[in-house]
Amino acid sequence: MIVSTDAVVLHAMKYSDTSKIVTLYTREYGKIKVVAKGARSNKSTFGSSLEPMTHSSVIFYKKEHKDLHLLSKSEIVTPMYRLATDGDKLQAGFAVIELLDVVMHSEEKSENIFQLVVQSLHLLDRSEKNFRNVFIAFAVHLFRHLGYELSLERCSRCDRSIETETNRQVKILFASGAYVCSHCAPDEHSDALGISIGAVRSLLHSSGSDAETLFRLEIGRQMSDEIIQLIQMYLHYHVPGARTLRSLAML
Amino acid sequence: MVYTSESVAQLVDELSRLPSIGRKTALRLALHILKQPRERVVALADALISVKDNVRYCSLCANITESDPCSICSNTKRNKSVICVVEEPNDVLALERTNEFHGLYHVLGGALSPLDNVGPEDLKIKELLARLDEPVQEIILALNPNVEGEATTLYLAKLLRPLAIKVSRIARGLPIGSDLEFADEATLARAIEGRVDIS
């Protein structure tokens, strides 16, 4: 069956002399793998549409009950030239697609997640600084779409608002993604991460901000390291066997 | 698959470990080897052993060689003040075919690719920095024009900036013999960006 859909390129690996095996996150069919024959040749019509992080329109032969399909055509939908102008920006882009690759199963589709990843890559393309913020906001929204939303505005035990928190260190429970204030210490046995109140507030701001606010939001290095550690640990808790995100080490 | 010969089965097993070789191709190759005269097969076996025993990495440029330093690094006619950084040994061969570059090389052994678990510590970057103790005027970054090559180029450019050495990159754009109308937007944009003055 020949099908056509929009896709974001997650990964491309060399295959035979001139071809590639490309992992795509498609709008209509979720995460799939395709063979792009001749994609590494200079005269390939695929051009740069199969580079990781590219938003492309693809046509492929979808084989039922197979994991690998045959790509027939691919064209860039919206070019993102500025993504490759800064090393830190590229690393944030790698982190976005790596996280998506790790959490999504084959052929699991979600219009919301597709929109989220395209929007996040466009934000990165436009951004001049604070690239980590885009990744952090992406991760928070992705967790929400996957059904394990972080709930940070009020203490899950006493309903006290985080704005009234006076202690500098609070806990996030992995099982529920909930914040527990300093007055309501979690059970010793629960899986939880101690995190600074500043990091929790930054996390809240970054996930609720529009693009312009997100670019302006200054999160200190130490605080964003804390947030990224939380994302990594939260991921491991909810996606057993998930690999450690390598791109985060370079972010 | 059931084989009537243990030796053929073993050869198929070994050949199918090679990249891009499946078991069917491995069997075809094994049967081809079986039909060859004994001396050809011995020559192939000798070549395989020899490549493993004699080939090593140059301690300066990390290119593959049989003598250390390699023939390029030890050539006194080469311009030692210019180093061209490439990803793999076959990139050195491609550049040497042009006869246009007369400096030295440095082979990184890949490109940064977090999704393939390749970080800066997996590449020969420390070795490149160590070479800069000698006077070097220019470093040319000749990495593949893909996202991984771009990430590596930007990483190295940032790393080398404080050293006050000229750092350049090879041009990006359209291949000779191609048509503008078939080029994609990203390639054309890079070609416009990298235009040169001919007045």
Side-chain angles (χ1 to χ4, degrees):
Chain A
M1 179 173 59
I2 299 175
V3 295
S4 168
T5 181
D6 273 15
V8 169
V9 181
L10 300 183
H11 186 232
M13 60 182 274
K14 291 176 183 175
Y15 176 67
S16 75
D17 281 346
T18 58
S19 304
K20 281 181 180 178
I21 292 179
V22 186
T23 308
L24 302 169
Y25 186 69
T26 65
R27 187 194 290 269
E28 307 282 342
Y29 305 95
K31 190 170 92 169
I32 57 157
K33 281 187 179 178
V34 292
V35 177
K37 289 191 172 168
R40 290 164 57 208
S41 144
N42 272 347
K43 293 192 176 171
S44 163
T45 54
F46 295 124
S48 60
S49 66
L50 299 177
E51 287 299 306
M53 297 173 236
T54 308
H55 178 197
S56 297
S57 161
V58 296
I59 297 175
F60 63 98
Y61 294 92
K62 190 170 187 308
K63 301 170 189 170
E64 294 300 320
H65 314 299
K66 298 272 185 184
D67 291 334
L68 195 58
H69 311 285
L70 180 64
L71 188 68
S72 149
K73 196 174 178 191
S74 174
E75 285 178 347
I76 295 174
V77 175
T78 36
M80 289 181 265
Y81 309 127
R82 287 163 295 183
L83 256 180
T85 54
D86 184 293
D88 294 335
K89 197 188 269 202
L90 261 183
Q91 291 306 335
F94 273 129
V96 165
I97 56 171
E98 189 181 10
L99 178 58
L100 187 66
D101 190 29
V102 166
V103 298
M104 298 308 290
H105 298 291
S106 286
E107 306 207 9
E108 181 185 358
K109 72 165 186 168
S110 160
E111 175 66 25
N112 288 336
I113 292 178
F114 184 79
Q115 295 279 6
L116 173 68
V117 67
V118 170
Q119 198 180 31
S120 300
L121 291 172
H122 279 289
L123 278 180
L124 265 179
D125 186 49
R126 281 173 48 203
S127 60
E128 300 289 333
K129 58 176 188 169
N130 298 333
F131 311 124
R132 278 181 156 209
N133 295 1
V134 178
F135 169 72
I136 290 168
F138 168 77
V140 172
H141 290 298
L142 181 64
F143 287 147
R144 178 162 56 82
H145 289 309
L146 291 170
Y148 26 95
E149 181 175 9
L150 286 160
S151 169
L152 306 171
E153 289 179 351
R154 312 192 78 84
C155 171
S156 62
R157 300 272 166 81
C158 67
D159 206 35
R160 194 190 300 251
S161 166
I162 194 162
E163 298 303 327
T164 61
E165 179 64 60
T166 50
N167 207 309
R168 292 169 70 179
Q169 195 79 3
V170 293
K171 298 249 180 188
I172 307 278
L173 300 175
F174 290 146
S176 58
Y179 143 71
V180 181
C181 72
S182 51
H183 300 284
C184 313
D187 303 334
E188 278 184 18
H189 301 295
S190 12
D191 287 310
L193 176 73
I195 187 167
S196 70
I197 187 72
V200 177
R201 285 181 182 142
S202 300
L203 197 50
L204 264 173
H205 284 143
S206 57
S207 56
S209 300
D210 56 59
E212 299 311 318
T213 319
L214 193 63
F215 297 154
R216 283 200 308 270
L217 186 64
E218 295 290 345
I219 306 178
R221 183 77 192 185
Q222 196 184 343
M223 228 174 258
S224 68
D225 281 348
E226 274 188 85
I227 296 172
I228 282 173
Q229 188 197 6
L230 171 70
I231 291 170
Q232 184 77 70
M233 293 176 76
Y234 199 60
L235 171 70
H236 279 300
Y237 186 88
H238 287 280
V239 186
R243 67 172 188 261
T244 301
L245 299 181
R246 184 66 188 257
S247 45
L248 292 183
M250 291 186 233
L251 186 59
Chain B
M1 202 182 290
V2 179
Y3 298 99
T4 51
S5 156
E6 190 63 32
S7 303
V8 169
Q10 195 186 344
L11 183 57
V12 169
D13 264 355
E14 293 303 327
L15 290 171
S16 62
R17 290 176 208 271
L18 298 172
S20 309
I21 305 279
R23 293 194 73 82
K24 271 189 181 173
T25 309
L27 178 61
R28 203 166 61 241
L29 291 172
L31 294 177
H32 175 78
I33 290 169
L34 199 59
K35 284 181 189 164
Q36 296 300 300
R38 192 174 194 286
E39 57 270 27
R40 293 297 302 270
V41 180
V42 169
L44 175 64
D46 285 347
L48 289 172
I49 298 292
S50 166
V51 82
K52 198 63 202 163
D53 285 351
N54 302 330
V55 177
R56 66 192 90 163
Y57 292 98
C58 172
S59 57
L60 292 174
C61 69
N63 194 8
I64 49 174
T65 178
E66 291 199 16
S67 57
D68 191 15
C70 69
S71 56
I72 295 177
C73 289
S74 55
N75 185 342
T76 51
K77 289 182 183 160
R78 310 263 331 188
N79 181 355
K80 292 192 187 325
S81 65
V82 183
I83 296 177
C84 180
V85 179
V86 296
E87 289 181 21
E88 300 289 352
N90 42 1
D91 298 329
V92 174
L93 298 177
L95 283 163
E96 281 298 282
R97 279 201 303 270
T98 66
N99 270 326
E100 287 292 323
F101 179 68
H102 307 291
L104 302 181
Y105 293 95
H106 189 85
V107 182
L108 290 175
L112 291 179
S113 178
L115 303 176
D116 296 312
N117 220 10
V118 180
E121 65 282 7
D122 301 311
L123 305 177
K124 305 276 184 195
I125 294 176
K126 269 187 292 182
E127 290 81 349
L128 173 65
L129 296 178
R131 292 179 73 183
L132 305 181
D133 292 340
E134 304 289 320
V136 171
Q137 286 176 0
E138 183 177 1
I139 292 180
I140 303 170
L141 301 173
L143 304 169
N144 287 332
N146 52 30
V147 170
E148 291 83 2
E150 200 62 33
T152 315
T153 298
L154 293 167
Y155 179 84
L156 288 175
K158 194 174 173 183
L159 201 66
L160 297 168
R161 204 167 293 142
L163 303 180
I165 298 172
K166 181 181 174 188
V167 180
S168 59
R169 66 183 303 165
I170 54 169
R172 297 169 296 175
L174 299 162
I176 293 170
S178 65
D179 289 329
L180 271 184
E181 65 170 314
F182 294 120
D184 68 87
E185 297 89 332
T187 308
L188 270 175
R190 296 281 176 260
I192 294 282
E193 189 185 284
R195 68 191 183 277
V196 291
D197 189 355
I198 56 166
S199 57

